[in-house]
Amino acid sequence: MTDRADRAALVEAARLSIVRGSKSFAAASRLFDRTTRERVWLLYAWCRRCDDLADDQDHGGTLGSQAGAPARLAMIRDLTDRALNGEATGDPAFDAFGLVARETGITRAMAEDVIAGFALDAADWRPREEIDLLRYCFHVAGAVGVMMAVVMGVSPDDEDTLDRACDLGLAFQLSNIARDLSEDDAAGRCYLPLEWLVAADIPPGEQMKPRYRQALVPLVHRMCHMARHYEASARIGAARLGFRQRWAVLAAAGIYGAIGRKVDQAGAQAWDHRVTTSTMAKLGHVLKALGQSALPAPRRDPVRPYLRRQLAERARAA
């Protein structure tokens, strides 16, 4: 059991982690009620710590040495397992995960779906087809969206709403990949499907060279278009949440969606400078989301290339 003082310390450590690691997410989380906000922070702390361990980083930044990636992945699995068993791990982020899992019903299978994404990077994995790209996005972001939905009180049996929570994570990650192509290339990574690159006559590993910039634009447009479809699906699911939770989710959708749209609009110049969203723009999305929260859910359900269960089945069959 975790006493009140221990819980408060874990919450504060998690709050500091989200403030340092994601200003956009930290801003959106302020819209939740206190209990949900604290649980979101606790879950974020685990996600951030796992990501940092996997990539040998400290709250993001330059990718570290990947020489010890398998050992760090084993550490992530061990500490997560101990946290879910109710053991103290000595690491506040993993203790935070154990706490929020006990409070909300996050399962071991949900955690493993996320950890599987780190395993793909540790294995220097590359997507061949579109579904492989989405499978990666499922592990590193869609599966986190599922856990976030459970933290917000969505039943683990509400498959359709969990699908839409996953869709928001997919939208976020597709936008992030589009924005971070240059940074990923510098780290020796590429998440564009090999089939896409071949069809565009872009040699694998050379996608960021100036002579291929223009050929890259349609591929990024395709990815951003997919992100918009998943974001639209997520907005339908957000309407099923409580008002403050709906507001926070719609604000996050607006903030992160704007990143993908700016990348798409910038064309071949998208990677000259890292695309960001200003503080005033974020505030605008928060205010817009407040109005959207009072409206009924969109009626039109967009066609998504693949659903959460299809991606999970693909992942478990691999």
Side-chain angles (χ1 to χ4, degrees):
M1 295 293 290
T2 304
D3 63 30
R4 186 174 299 178
D6 288 341
R7 188 185 190 283
L10 290 176
V11 167
E12 176 60 12
R15 183 190 70 81
L16 293 174
S17 177
I18 197 171
V19 167
R20 185 178 175 191
S22 177
K23 291 181 174 59
S24 294
F25 199 11
S29 74
R30 286 288 180 183
L31 304 179
F32 290 119
D33 60 274
R34 179 177 176 178
T35 298
T36 303
R37 179 168 62 247
E38 290 180 352
R39 288 172 174 171
V40 164
W41 290 346
L42 293 168
L43 178 56
Y44 173 89
W46 174 75
C47 295
R48 179 71 267 168
R49 179 68 172 134
C50 287
D51 200 14
D52 284 344
L53 279 173
D55 287 342
D56 191 24
Q57 296 172 305
D58 182 11
H59 286 78
T62 303
L63 192 72
S65 170
Q66 298 305 291
R72 292 195 298 272
L73 178 64
M75 181 187 300
I76 290 169
R77 284 205 164 102
D78 177 63
L79 290 173
T80 300
D81 190 59
R82 287 166 55 191
L84 288 171
N85 287 336
E87 301 175 28
T89 68
D91 188 309
F94 286 91
D95 291 340
F97 184 64
L99 173 61
V100 73
R102 291 191 295 275
E103 290 184 354
T104 65
I106 288 173
T107 67
R108 194 176 301 271
M110 292 175 187
E112 182 53 38
D113 279 339
V114 176
I115 294 172
F118 302 127
L120 291 175
D121 278 334
D124 198 28
W125 173 89
R126 298 288 188 273
R128 291 188 58 84
E129 308 170 65
E130 179 178 285
I131 192 173
D132 295 327
L133 164 64
L134 288 167
R135 172 191 163 200
Y136 178 78
C137 292
F138 162 71
H139 284 306
V140 302
V144 175
V146 170
M147 289 196 288
M148 284 290 181
V150 172
V151 164
M152 292 181 224
V154 175
S155 168
D157 298 324
D158 187 347
E159 296 285 357
D160 188 68
T161 301
L162 293 182
D163 280 350
R164 296 179 189 279
C166 175
D167 287 348
L168 187 59
L170 296 177
F172 286 176
Q173 190 61 27
L174 288 165
S175 293
N176 284 342
I177 289 172
R179 177 189 63 185
D180 296 340
L181 283 177
S182 183
E183 294 174 29
D184 288 334
D185 180 65
R189 292 178 175 176
C190 177
Y191 299 108
L192 292 170
L194 178 61
E195 289 187 354
W196 288 15
L197 294 170
V198 170
D201 290 325
I202 301 175
E206 298 187 23
Q207 64 276 358
M208 295 313 300
K209 290 188 176 180
R211 63 180 175 275
Y212 296 118
R213 277 286 188 98
Q214 203 58 49
L216 194 60
V217 171
L219 308 189
V220 171
H221 173 74
R222 179 176 177 177
M223 194 155 45
C224 292
H225 183 71
M226 290 163 58
R228 287 194 289 273
H229 278 265
Y230 281 113
E231 180 187 333
S233 166
R235 288 177 178 274
I236 294 174
R240 302 168 187 169
L241 302 173
F243 175 76
R244 291 193 65 174
Q245 295 166 345
R246 184 163 68 251
W247 184 13
V249 168
L250 292 175
I255 291 169
Y256 281 92
I259 291 173
R261 288 186 284 275
K262 287 175 73 172
V263 170
D264 197 12
Q265 292 165 5
Q269 286 72 50
W271 308 282
D272 291 346
H273 304 282
R274 193 170 197 265
V275 171
T276 59
T277 306
S278 69
T279 300
M280 288 302 296
K282 288 173 186 172
L283 179 59
H285 288 298
V286 169
L287 294 175
K288 185 177 181 180
L290 176 60
Q292 292 171 337
S293 299
L295 300 174
R299 292 186 178 182
R300 184 177 179 182
D301 195 358
V303 176
R304 293 101 85 196
Y306 297 95
L307 299 178
R308 172 177 64 101
R309 281 158 284 182
Q310 292 173 294
L311 297 173
E313 289 168 6
R314 171 86 171 199
R316 285 159 192 155

